[in-house]
Amino acid sequence: MMVPADDLLGPNGHGQTHIGQQQQQAPDLLGGFSGAVPQQQPNQTVINAGNGVTLSITTSAPAIAGLGKIEPSAAVNQAAQRKPKRKVVVVPTYSCNGGFDSKFNVHARYAKPSDIHGLLSEEEYEREISALNDKLKTTRAKKLDYALLGMGMAMIPLALWGVRHSSQVKKRKKLLEEGIWEFNERMAMSNRNVRMVYHRAKLTGGAEGFLAIEESNRKPISGPEKGDKFD
């Protein structure tokens, strides 16, 4: 079957077919259509065939449509809003009773940071930490504990010391929780967004826990409105 030359070469004789004239819009990588055929990027290669004959071959690769629309991740991260960090004040400790016990340092200048973020005044800080130390005073080692531990490797004295030490540790934990709860109640009653938290060690045998005074997201407690009745 003979095909007319006009169908193969097109009306102008430049090798354009009817299919080429009716190319559809190419979809880009982001979805949708770009409205144009992807541009070709030419690449020329020169080959020396000898005897003074040089061949030049030009190839092209389609450009990736929509590549310019993709923003780098760094720009996206910079555009993201950063949440403000919560203010935290670490209350330092120091050893006492020959290293058997520890106390919280009552001086604000030794806190981390020393300006305590303005969460409390220096007088409030010293008063609250002193009250907490006084509450824990009964849990510290006594003269009897030193005497039992100083008897050497005898089984009975060491066993008695171990029982007393375990009881003191449990009592300290309970009183510390009570002191923290009382502080947080006072701050809540004063409508202040401040709280005290004891952060326990995450790993057994690792670094010790620490006491902190932090900024709280607690909403202020509104007083009773006019007309409210209480039984």
Side-chain angles (χ1 to χ4, degrees), residues 46-99:
V46 178
I47 301 175
N48 188 0
N51 297 327
V53 179
T54 302
L55 301 178
S56 178
I57 302 175
T58 302
T59 59
S60 61
I64 301 177
L67 184 61
K69 300 180 181 179
I70 302 177
E71 297 181 358
S73 59
V76 177
N77 294 336
Q78 293 178 357
Q81 296 181 354
R82 297 181 178 179
K83 296 183 179 179
K85 293 183 179 181
R86 184 176 55 195
K87 298 178 180 178
V88 178
V89 178
V90 178
V91 181
T93 60
Y94 62 93
S95 300
C96 62
N97 293 341

Side-chain angles (χ1 to χ4, degrees), residues 2 60 67-68 92 113 121 143 148-149 159 167 176 185 187 196 200 204:
M2 300 295 295
S60 61
L67 184 61
S121 65
K143 293 182 179 180
L148 292 174
L149 194 60
S167 176
L176 181 60
E185 283 295 304
M187 294 297 105
M196 184 180 289
R200 303 188 183 280
T204 304

